Amino acid sequence: MSWDRTLLALFVVAAMLLRWFPAVGLAALLPAGLCGAAALAIHLTQRRRYALQSTGIAAERVEADVFAVLWMVVLVVAVAVLGILAIWVL
């Protein structure tokens, strides 16, 4: 369920960034597109991730998905930097 909340949060952030479009122009589209692409990637990989977790729970051996967590950290930092640049530069 946490990935569902992350997906929803990314769509909300993308929508909020699109509201900046009249004020900052095309600079708002890059972070919004990044959030949309990340939400789509989460949606497309969610079934595999849940299958792995349910198999791990059944076998009583679940390993953390470190790559997914690090990828989300990089995404959040990139969106924050792009948002700040869109406000300050333009």
Side-chain angles (χ1 to χ4, degrees):
M1 295 242 320
S2 63
W3 286 107
D4 288 332
R5 288 187 300 269
T6 303
L7 187 133
L8 179 62
L10 285 169
F11 275 128
V12 169
V13 169
M16 288 174 32
L17 288 167
L18 286 177
R19 290 190 60 185
W20 284 0
F21 182 73
V24 297
L26 293 176
L29 293 181
L30 184 60
L34 188 61
C35 285
L40 182 64
I42 289 171
H43 177 70
L44 293 175
T45 60
Q46 192 169 7
R47 177 169 285 183
R48 180 190 59 82
R49 195 171 26 255
Y50 282 166
L52 286 173
Q53 291 298 316
S54 87
T55 303
I57 289 170
E60 296 183 5
R61 182 181 167 115
V62 178
E63 295 183 17
D65 190 358
V66 177
F67 176 74
V69 173
L70 290 176
W71 182 77
M72 285 306 297
V73 168
V74 169
L75 174 73
V76 168
V77 170
V79 169
V81 167
L82 289 172
I84 289 170
L85 287 174
I87 292 172
W88 284 350
V89 173
L90 301 173

